[in-house]
């Protein structure tokens, strides 16, 4: 079946370091990917998205890289801050015209001051 | 601009009971999505409503149902509650008719079934 998964359930970094969160997907027909951040007690918050016709997209302190050859997605956070501590989800838009994203299980990012 | 709102924030129910959760989308959004987030798991898609109609349904039993009202707010109903229904129920809204879209999530309703 189609799935979206994350390699690491927990990532601990020091404040100021760069963080990389990885995600694998299995549906080669997926054409849109999204990263969400979920802080404790809150709903997921959109961070950045990327379409399958792109390899890289940059936002403020975040970069998403897409490798369609190996079906891998990563989120890079520069100069990680304590406020970045949260669970990060990747999601893929369903194929075949479905507007329903499939979410991975999530990676918990812990930033130590 | 107000975000997506959900009520109640927390809810405790007994197995076999019924529950109704409510969601108000962002003004101007016509699509509402419901997700279940069980502890340690990713978001599982439940239902999608747009313009008052159910557009898509996830792999959940029929005791999970809902509706969307003319003002685009939505309700999620769960009948015959089971212990495994304990989870955070998230509602999201988006502009309709867009293949590539951004969903805005509410804070969720934490349901505990005892």
């Amino acid at each position: 079946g189609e799935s979206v998964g994350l390699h690491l359930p927990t990532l601990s970094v020091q404040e100021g370091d760069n963080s990389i969160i990885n995600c694998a997907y299995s549906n080669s027909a997926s054409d849109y990917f999204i990263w969400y951040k979920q802080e404790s007690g809150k709903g997921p918050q959109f961070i950045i998205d990327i379409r399958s016709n792109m390899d890289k997209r940059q936002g403020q302190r975040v970069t998403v890289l897409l490798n369609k050859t190996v079906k891998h997605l990563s989120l890079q956070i520069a100069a990680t801050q304590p406020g970045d501590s949260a669970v990060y989800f990747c999601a893929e838009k369903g194929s075949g015209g479905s507007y329903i994203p499939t979410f991975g299980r999530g990676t918990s990012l812990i930033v130590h001051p | 601009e107000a975000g997506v709102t959900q009520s109640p924030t927390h809810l405790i129910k007994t197995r076999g009971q019924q529950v109704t959760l409510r969601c108000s989308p962002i003004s101007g959004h016509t699509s509402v999505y419901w997700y279940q987030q069980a502890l340690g798991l990713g978001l599982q898609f439940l239902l999608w409503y747009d313009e008052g109609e159910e557009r898509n349904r996830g792999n959940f039993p029929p005791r999970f149902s809902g509706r969307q009202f003319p003002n685009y707010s939505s309700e999620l109903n769960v009948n015959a509650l089971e212990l495994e229904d304990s989870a955070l129920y998230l509602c999201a809204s988006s502009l309709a008719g867009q293949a590539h879209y951004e969903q805005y999530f509410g804070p969720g309703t934490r349901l505990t079934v005892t």
Side-chain angles (χ1 to χ4, degrees), chain B residues 80-114:
Chain B
L81 284 167
E82 300 179 2
L83 296 178
E84 52 265 35
D85 296 333
S86 294
L88 179 68
Y89 288 84
L90 291 161
C91 171
S93 73
S94 74
L95 294 170
Q98 296 184 1
H100 296 118
Y101 62 98
E102 180 176 342
Q103 288 188 344
Y104 295 82
F105 283 85
T109 293
R110 174 70 63 184
L111 173 64
T112 301
V113 182
T114 61

Side-chain angles (χ1 to χ4, degrees), chain B residues 41-63:
Chain B
L41 298 179
L43 279 69
Q44 302 297 316
F45 167 69
L46 273 164
L47 292 159
W48 170 28
Y49 291 96
D50 182 61
E51 295 287 355
E53 294 188 12
E54 183 179 303
R55 301 294 186 182
N56 205 336
R57 182 182 181 86
N59 188 25
F60 280 84
R63 58 191 185 84

Side-chain angles (χ1 to χ4, degrees), chain A residues 16-38:
Chain A
D17 287 351
N18 296 332
S19 302
I20 300 177
I21 301 172
N22 297 304
C23 178
Y25 64 95
S26 59
N27 182 7
S28 57
S30 295
D31 60 357
Y32 180 58
F33 303 88
I34 315 157
W35 279 101
Y36 286 93
K37 172 186 180 182
Q38 187 175 22

